[in-house]
Amino acid sequence: MNFTNMKSLFSNSSRKRNWLIAITSSIAFSIIYGFILFETSKHSITVILDGEEQTLSTRAASVEEILQDLDVAFNEKDYVYPALDSKVTNHMQVIWEPAKQVQLTVGEEIISVWTTADTVEELLREQDITLAENDQVTPKLSEQLAKDTKVQIQKAFAVKVNDGGEEKEVWSVSTTVADFLKQQGFTLGELDRVEPGLDKLISQNDGIHIIRVEKVTDVVEESTDYAVVTQKDSSLEKV
């Protein structure tokens, strides 16, 4: 092999090596650039799922995609903030609260409602239900709501009470006469009577009549004519 051929061989080898280095560098650059692009395209967000908070990085484009990535079984009745179609931004906060079904009874009307309210009071506010002063709610307003909780509202109404001739108006919910008298502080004597009977239910426009009975003992004085008997006694001195 002459010098020219050797020179040509080394030149070709050098060019191949340069091409190889260039291709390798290009691939490495693409990988690094892609990794940087991948990482910088993530958003750091805070997610609160049913009260549990966590921070994560995501490439999801919308709130709906975030919940899907987290395997959250959400439906249209749940509370989601911001809206499902909201675009994801860095440092955003996403809140999801599952709705629960509760039974709500108002008077004689019974309905089932889906709610994300935490307490009975929040549920009533959500349903635009206003309570009067003497209305009764079971369970109490501060009670925490759970699935299948039963909330009952008894609306108060005026009851006219005639207590031994003295009339007064008292607010009450539907209950028995006996419970009504106990709740309102009416006491009955041994001989007193009540109309209607103690076991009767009170409804709106009903009245209660308490008949007070007193036992009285009368003392009657009568004059009596006594007979006069005259008897002689010889042992007595004559006057």
Side-chain angles (χ1 to χ4, degrees):
M1 181 179 296
N2 56 33
F3 177 76
T4 302
N5 291 336
M6 290 182 63
K7 184 177 179 181
S8 176
L9 181 62
F10 280 117
S11 177
N12 290 336
S13 177
S14 178
R15 281 198 297 271
K16 289 180 180 179
R17 186 167 57 253
N18 291 338
W19 273 107
L20 183 60
I21 293 172
I23 293 172
T24 303
S25 298
S26 177
I27 294 173
F29 176 79
S30 297
I31 293 173
I32 294 172
Y33 178 77
F35 177 77
I36 294 173
L37 185 63
F38 178 82
E39 289 299 317
T40 55
S41 64
K42 287 185 177 181
H43 295 100
S44 178
I45 64 171
T46 300
V47 180
I48 303 176
L49 303 178
D50 197 14
E52 298 293 329
E53 181 176 323
Q54 58 178 301
T55 301
L56 53 85
S57 295
T58 180
R59 297 185 69 248
S62 67
V63 171
E64 184 174 9
E65 289 183 14
I66 291 174
L67 298 181
Q68 289 173 343
D69 291 345
L70 295 173
D71 294 326
V72 175
F74 58 91
N75 61 59
E76 61 181 10
K77 299 179 180 66
D78 296 344
Y79 174 78
V80 180
Y81 177 84
L84 290 172
D85 58 355
S86 298
K87 182 179 178 181
V88 177
T89 59
N90 209 27
H91 306 304
M92 80 181 303
Q93 185 181 74
V94 176
I95 302 174
W96 170 75
E97 293 180 9
K100 44 193 169 284
Q101 191 174 31
V102 300
Q103 180 178 294
L104 179 60
T105 302
V106 182
E108 297 181 354
E109 182 182 6
I110 302 175
I111 58 175
S112 292
V113 296
W114 286 90
T115 180
T116 57
D118 293 325
T119 64
V120 173
E121 185 175 15
E122 290 179 10
L123 171 66
L124 300 188
R125 190 182 308 121
E126 181 181 274
Q127 297 296 318
D128 293 327
I129 296 175
T130 303
L131 298 177
E133 181 181 356
N134 297 287
D135 293 345
Q136 291 185 6
V137 182
T138 307
K140 57 186 180 181
L141 293 175
S142 59
E143 190 79 15
Q144 291 288 319
L145 288 177
K147 182 181 179 182
D148 297 328
T149 296
K150 294 182 179 180
V151 179
Q152 183 177 22
I153 300 173
Q154 293 181 293
K155 306 297 287 185
F157 50 85
V159 177
K160 290 185 178 180
V161 181
N162 186 314
D163 184 6
E166 180 183 352
E167 290 192 353
K168 61 179 66 177
E169 190 175 74
V170 182
W171 286 86
S172 174
V173 297
S174 182
T175 184
T176 64
V177 173
D179 287 339
F180 170 82
L181 296 178
K182 182 178 180 180
Q183 291 167 7
Q184 301 300 330
F186 290 97
T187 56
L188 298 178
E190 183 180 355
L191 301 177
D192 292 345
R193 301 196 311 272
V194 180
E195 296 176 356
L198 294 174
D199 60 341
K200 299 298 183 181
L201 284 175
I202 300 174
S203 301
Q204 193 165 4
N205 300 322
D206 282 350
I208 296 177
H209 189 194
I210 302 174
I211 304 167
R212 301 293 183 180
V213 179
E214 294 183 3
K215 186 176 182 180
V216 178
T217 302
D218 289 335
V219 178
V220 179
E221 295 182 359
E222 295 181 355
S223 59
T224 303
D225 293 331
Y226 294 98
V228 177
V229 178
T230 303
Q231 186 175 359
K232 294 181 178 182
D233 189 349
S234 58
S235 63
L236 296 176
E237 294 183 359
K238 292 181 178 182
V239 178

